Amino acid sequence: MSPASTGASTTVGAVSPVRSSNTDSRMTPGGPGYRRMSFALFLAGVATFALLYSTQALLPLISGEFGVAASEASWTVAAATGALALFVLPMSALSERFGRRTVMTASLAVAVGVGLLVPFAPSIGTLVVLRAVQGAALAGLPASATAYLAEEVRPKALITAIGLFVAGNSVGGMSGRVITGWVAQEWGWRVAVGVIGVIAVACALAFRLLLPAPRHFTPGSLRPRVLLGTVRDHLSDPLLRRLYAIGALFMTVFGGVYTVIGYRLTEAPFSLPQGIIGSVFLVYLVGTVSASTAGRLVGRLGRRGALYLAGGTTAAGLLLSLAQSLPLVLLGLVLITAGFFAGHAVASSAVSKTATHGRAQASALYQSAYYIGSSAGSTVGATAFHAGGWSGTVTVGLFAVLGVVTITVLGSRAARVAARREPVAAH
């Protein structure tokens, strides 16, 4: 399926007319509404990741209060990401009918409401259930946001716009963990997640006030047969399948590393306090930079070249993190974070460009695979850490990176075969 360079609608089964470059009214960098749109979706990304991973840096404290192992406490993360993975496709269908902005606003409202209840969870079971509800609510954000961008932003600026949204994710993930780390050190994990809930409320309100009303959205149908047909079309596309697998594998690495790193840093030889461990997540700033520059990276190396570089950077970081030196471990986390966010931005933007119809569903399938990878990384990474220490978690991550490289190689071979067949077909 060739990349879409027209104003194709993301509604199920509908395609809008092709616009000439002279009459294209979609947003471009520096144009009317672009900055408001970028900042609004940046804040949505901040709220989403801050809420979604609000317990991740606090797992050692949660384990201590409820008397559970790392593998059990990790479900407070895995339940949220797993529920998001399950609900992202249905929520994307709702966005086709009721609009991207409406669904994103409702999703944030429910998620922040649940976020204010999380600090009062009386047991680990209740906490996991609340986190699952929160993840299901947040499912309305990722696919709807990328579909909104595909409709409202010109194709040449799409990867940059999506990169900014992903950068918001990285800022949310970083700030949430840093804030919770220091707050929890003084007042406990319950106050820490409460503070994140309040911050998310502010982000949600600003998002709704700033996001421009959609101008190129056409309501679609909620008919299950039409939706399933669109999903079947996307899953039958080899390139989209490869991109979905790449997103899942990158997130397997990231989910495993950041779920377990708090446990590792509380143990010898590091024995760091909770506030310092939370500050380690400042390395997310590297992800903000790598995600926002993904467009330039693809321009220089091509999509597959950018994925090779992202995978190699991630693998180098994993190996470096095995060191018993804190500076080397931190450098390893920097490389893992840079590689992950670059790979994620490249793959997610490629999905939006590849899908010529039903972009919300195409993005939803990517997000579903992505967060299944997060859940798998959280649980498998924590289990591997329990069984074999940090080297076990690193081994899981290296196998995931090997999968990324293998899939990209297979994609390159498929592209070469297709290129050789085209001249023959022309005759």
Side-chain angles (χ1 to χ4, degrees), residues 89 223-233:
L89 187 58
R223 289 177 294 171
R225 183 177 297 180
V226 176
L227 174 62
L228 291 175
T230 304
V231 170
R232 185 168 55 249
D233 288 346

Side-chain angles (χ1 to χ4, degrees), residues 40-51:
L41 289 176
F42 178 85
L43 291 176
V46 169
T48 298
F49 255 49
L51 289 170

Side-chain angles (χ1 to χ4, degrees), residues 22-41:
N22 293 330
T23 61
D24 195 337
S25 61
R26 289 173 291 178
M27 288 182 279
T28 57
Y34 185 86
R35 287 185 179 179
R36 283 181 57 206
M37 177 274 298
S38 297
F39 188 52
L41 289 176

Side-chain angles (χ1 to χ4, degrees), residues 10 41 88 90-96 99-105 107 138-151 165 207 211 359-361 363-364 367:
T10 61
L41 289 176
V88 68
M91 294 293 276
S92 74
L94 291 177
S95 81
E96 297 284 10
R100 319 301 184 197
R101 189 169 69 162
T102 299
V103 169
M104 286 190 286
T105 301
S107 294
L138 288 170
L141 264 296
S144 297
T146 52
Y148 175 94
L149 289 169
E151 291 168 343
F165 175 65
F207 161 80
L211 189 69
R359 284 198 184 100
Q361 282 69 48
S363 296
Q367 296 293 336

